Amino acid sequence: MYKNKKEVETWFRYLRDLICNEFEKFEKKTKFKKKKWRRKKLSSGGGEISILRDGKVFEKVGVNISTVFGSFDKKFSKQIPGTSKSRKFWASGISVVIHPKNPNIPSLHFNTRYIETGKKWFGGGIDMTPNVKNFNQKKDFHMTLKKMCDFYDKKYYKNFKINCDKYFYLPHRNEPRGDGGIFFDYLDKDLNKNFSFIKDVGLTFLIIARQLIKKNLKKQWNKKLKNLQLIKRAKYAEFNLLYDRGTKFGLNTDGNVEAIFMSLPPSLKW
Amino acid sequence: MYKNKKEVETWFRYLRDLICNEFEKFEKKTKFKKKKWRRKKLSSGGGEISILRDGKVFEKVGVNISTVFGSFDKKFSKQIPGTSKSRKFWASGISVVIHPKNPNIPSLHFNTRYIETGKKWFGGGIDMTPNVKNFNQKKDFHMTLKKMCDFYDKKYYKNFKINCDKYFYLPHRNEPRGDGGIFFDYLDKDLNKNFSFIKDVGLTFLIIARQLIKKNLKKQWNKKLKNLQLIKRAKYAEFNLLYDRGTKFGLNTDGNVEAIFMSLPPSLKW
């Protein structure tokens, strides 16, 4: 049940701990390093970055949580619903990016967020970027997402998949960033239902990530496949720096640079 | 002496050959690979990419020449001088980016270009991005540029250095991309003098590059220093994808993706 914004913030923190613990189980020695940050300007709030680097399984995993609040500047507020009477906002979210070592494991990205202005809404998504084509894996991935979505609303999966395909696209290369997934925003009706949905997206991401890692972890890889991964990652970085709304939002609103760039690949090849 | 645009294009091609030949001398086996491209849409023209990868000295050097012509679109033309009566343009240029293997050698960037609309002008620059602070090296670099500039106009160096510092700056990190250099545009007076200047910028770049490589090539480096280089390169990529005008120009005008991203580092660490 949705009670209030604090409840949502608590869930994101809980999910962060869950995800970090589960991912650390894949590693023997390597642990997440945590770092808190506070906003300097523009009202207040902050967040916590958790990064695991150079593990046996993960080359880099970043898990960010943040809660920021204050007043949007005049120009920016025009892009945000519910700001006609007041530019005040409160926003909390979690985002996760996995860059595995083994190129047989896809890169994975997930985030969920909650925003309050004059309106209140949830947003987020899950998407996958493999380095090798795998038809069945893509099918299973989308089927899992569809099943989860269908439980809440029969229209969700179809719409959210379309959003995802539109969003994660590199126009200069005329190609998608990866295999798609779901991407949604402005879920402002029935906060009870949608808070449950948001929780389910987080847990489903964790299940999907574990399965994809387990399935592909033992697969052999050679220099050629690693090279493919590095080239795919360069495109990933192109997308995030050239087009990603979250990156632009962060850079334009005094976000923490380390947190904003958490999603960028640990290594790549241009 | 400046005769006409074809003369400028010929110079850029000649300089390209000179640079590629000189750089290949540093390598024993590794050679530049050349690739021609043509514009698909928006009138015509094209260019040639020369890339040398994974050499003993250079991890990646890219040398691009291009000559493109046609008509700017209405919106874009407003940013370009000399387009009030006609949006027609003709543009030719050369650009070079060096990403050396040894982190003791700075990364180097150079370009010169010539544009004709209702007006005619030259633009370009040279800048250096070292991974280790070296006060004397920076001083020598700037002194060489100053001497070259002073021969043409006593105001050039001062103004072009300020332009360069302003341009190659990462606001989100509150730090410069490197040690600066010179950066200039709209040199539309005395095309004779400025064509000579443009030639000198190209030759001076080659001299500077050779000296910097020779001086630093034998210096030992360890994993820690390589790591510093990879981190510096990530910032280089941030600049090019987030802010660089040339990148935005290329992506917005159907440029060749491989040519546009030629400048991006071969490897890095986020």
Side-chain angles (χ1 to χ4, degrees):
Chain A
M1 286 290 285
Y2 174 82
K3 272 193 233 156
N4 54 46
K5 60 190 180 190
K6 277 287 158 196
E7 197 96 357
V8 183
E9 187 184 6
T10 303
W11 161 253
F12 290 149
R13 181 171 290 275
Y14 170 78
L15 180 63
R16 190 272 312 267
D17 292 342
L18 199 65
I19 288 172
C20 288
N21 286 336
E22 285 295 315
F23 286 177
E24 275 183 355
K25 285 183 193 163
F26 281 106
E27 300 289 341
K28 293 222 164 128
K29 289 175 188 170
T30 321
K31 303 283 175 198
F32 277 94
K33 282 184 186 166
K34 289 191 165 63
K35 197 170 169 181
K36 285 185 184 173
W37 57 272
R38 312 272 326 151
R39 290 212 300 170
K40 281 174 215 154
K41 299 175 240 164
L42 295 167
S43 311
S44 201
E48 201 164 358
I49 310 167
S50 307
I51 293 193
L52 188 156
R53 281 183 185 278
D54 303 320
K56 275 172 166 279
V57 175
F58 303 108
E59 198 170 317
K60 180 181 173 188
V61 189
V63 185
N64 281 346
I65 51 168
S66 68
T67 299
V68 294
F69 44 91
S71 226
F72 287 126
D73 73 42
K74 217 168 183 175
K75 196 181 165 196
F76 190 73
S77 70
K78 284 175 188 164
Q79 302 172 34
I80 313 285
T83 55
S84 57
K85 285 183 189 161
S86 161
R87 297 203 302 272
K88 277 194 176 173
F89 75 97
W90 187 96
S92 190
I94 178 168
S95 70
V96 182
V97 175
I98 303 176
H99 291 290
K101 199 168 155 185
N102 185 331
N104 288 295
I105 310 172
S107 284
L108 286 162
H109 165 240
F110 149 76
N111 86 87
T112 43
R113 57 191 174 268
Y114 172 74
I115 297 168
E116 272 193 22
T117 56
K119 295 188 171 184
K120 302 171 177 194
W121 72 91
F122 291 102
I126 299 177
D127 70 280
M128 170 167 88
T129 309
N131 307 299
V132 274
K133 282 217 186 282
N134 185 330
F135 179 77
N136 285 327
Q137 182 173 274
K138 182 178 177 179
K139 207 178 112 188
D140 289 349
F141 173 70
H142 278 273
M143 195 47 73
T144 306
L145 293 176
K146 186 176 183 304
K147 273 185 195 159
M148 175 198 59
C149 288
D150 283 354
F151 186 77
Y152 298 91
D153 191 318
K154 294 284 179 195
K155 286 179 213 143
Y156 272 9
Y157 172 74
K158 194 187 161 192
N159 292 336
F160 298 169
K161 181 193 183 303
I162 292 170
N163 293 343
C164 191
D165 287 342
K166 269 190 198 161
Y167 185 73
F168 292 106
Y169 187 78
L170 285 79
H172 60 284
R173 294 193 178 272
N174 200 19
E175 65 182 60
R177 189 174 81 166
D179 271 356
I182 53 169
F183 187 77
F184 52 92
D185 211 352
Y186 310 120
L187 298 185
D188 57 359
K189 312 247 155 51
D190 196 345
L191 292 181
N192 268 334
K193 182 183 88 174
N194 279 316
F195 186 31
S196 295
F197 174 65
I198 283 297
K199 287 180 185 169
D200 216 347
V201 173
L203 297 173
T204 302
F205 163 73
L206 187 53
I207 291 165
I208 287 174
R210 285 178 52 185
Q211 281 178 348
L212 282 169
I213 295 164
K214 278 189 181 168
K215 247 186 185 168
N216 293 301
L217 187 57
K218 302 280 181 217
K219 283 186 188 164
Q220 295 294 307
W221 49 279
N222 53 21
K223 218 179 157 182
K224 204 179 151 192
L225 198 54
K226 189 71 191 174
N227 201 44
L228 274 181
Q229 184 194 47
L230 294 175
I231 289 166
K232 195 76 182 165
R233 282 182 182 170
K235 296 175 185 177
Y236 202 96
E238 286 168 21
F239 178 84
N240 287 21
L241 292 174
L242 288 171
Y243 308 114
D244 187 54
R245 291 197 312 211
T247 304
K248 286 195 200 310
F249 177 81
L251 293 175
N252 286 320
T253 56
D254 185 38
N256 179 276
V257 172
E258 213 178 322
I260 297 166
F261 292 155
M262 168 278 285
S263 64
L264 293 170
S267 62
L268 55 72
K269 187 173 177 177
W270 263 305
Chain B
M1 286 290 285
Y2 174 82
K3 272 193 233 156
N4 54 46
K5 60 190 180 189
K6 277 286 158 198
E7 197 97 357
V8 184
E9 187 185 6
T10 304
W11 161 253
F12 291 149
R13 180 171 292 274
Y14 169 77
L15 180 63
R16 189 273 312 267
D17 293 341
L18 199 63
I19 288 172
C20 289
N21 285 337
E22 285 295 315
F23 287 176
E24 275 183 354
K25 285 183 194 164
F26 281 106
E27 301 288 341
K28 293 222 163 128
K29 290 175 186 170
T30 321
K31 304 283 175 197
F32 278 94
K33 283 183 186 167
K34 289 191 165 63
K35 197 171 171 180
K36 285 187 185 170
W37 58 271
R38 312 275 322 155
R39 290 211 301 170
K40 282 172 212 154
K41 299 175 238 162
L42 295 167
S43 311
S44 201
E48 200 164 358
I49 311 167
S50 307
I51 293 193
L52 188 155
R53 280 183 185 277
D54 303 320
K56 275 172 166 276
V57 175
F58 303 108
E59 198 170 317
K60 179 181 173 187
V61 189
V63 185
N64 281 346
I65 52 168
S66 69
T67 299
V68 295
F69 44 90
S71 227
F72 287 125
D73 73 42
K74 217 169 184 175
K75 196 181 163 195
F76 190 73
S77 71
K78 283 174 188 166
Q79 302 171 35
I80 312 284
T83 54
S84 57
K85 285 183 188 160
S86 160
R87 297 204 302 272
K88 277 194 176 173
F89 76 96
W90 187 95
S92 189
I94 177 169
S95 70
V96 182
V97 174
I98 303 177
H99 290 289
K101 199 167 153 186
N102 185 331
N104 289 296
I105 309 172
S107 283
L108 286 161
H109 165 240
F110 149 77
N111 85 89
T112 44
R113 58 190 174 270
Y114 172 75
I115 297 168
E116 272 193 21
T117 56
K119 296 188 170 185
K120 303 171 177 191
W121 72 92
F122 290 102
I126 298 176
D127 70 280
M128 168 167 89
T129 309
N131 307 300
V132 275
K133 283 218 184 282
N134 185 330
F135 179 77
N136 285 327
Q137 183 172 274
K138 182 177 176 179
K139 208 178 110 188
D140 289 350
F141 173 70
H142 279 273
M143 196 48 72
T144 307
L145 293 176
K146 185 176 184 305
K147 272 184 195 161
M148 173 198 61
C149 288
D150 282 355
F151 185 78
Y152 298 91
D153 191 319
K154 294 284 178 195
K155 286 180 214 143
Y156 272 9
Y157 172 73
K158 194 188 160 190
N159 292 335
F160 299 170
K161 180 194 184 303
I162 291 170
N163 293 344
C164 191
D165 287 341
K166 269 190 199 162
Y167 185 73
F168 292 106
Y169 187 78
L170 286 78
H172 61 284
R173 294 193 179 272
N174 200 19
E175 64 181 63
R177 188 174 80 167
D179 271 357
I182 53 169
F183 187 78
F184 52 92
D185 211 351
Y186 309 120
L187 298 184
D188 58 358
K189 313 248 155 46
D190 196 345
L191 291 181
N192 268 334
K193 181 183 87 173
N194 280 316
F195 187 30
S196 295
F197 174 66
I198 283 297
K199 288 180 184 167
D200 217 347
V201 172
L203 297 173
T204 303
F205 163 73
L206 187 53
I207 292 164
I208 287 173
R210 285 179 51 185
Q211 282 177 348
L212 282 169
I213 295 164
K214 278 188 180 167
K215 248 186 184 167
N216 293 300
L217 186 57
K218 302 281 182 215
K219 283 186 188 164
Q220 296 294 306
W221 48 279
N222 53 21
K223 218 181 159 182
K224 203 180 150 191
L225 198 55
K226 190 71 190 174
N227 201 45
L228 273 180
Q229 185 194 46
L230 294 175
I231 289 167
K232 195 76 183 166
R233 282 181 182 171
K235 296 175 185 178
Y236 203 96
E238 286 167 22
F239 179 85
N240 287 21
L241 292 174
L242 288 171
Y243 308 115
D244 187 55
R245 291 197 311 211
T247 305
K248 285 195 200 311
F249 177 81
L251 293 175
N252 286 320
T253 56
D254 185 38
N256 179 277
V257 172
E258 213 178 323
I260 297 166
F261 292 155
M262 168 278 286
S263 64
L264 292 171
S267 62
L268 55 72
K269 186 174 179 177
W270 264 304

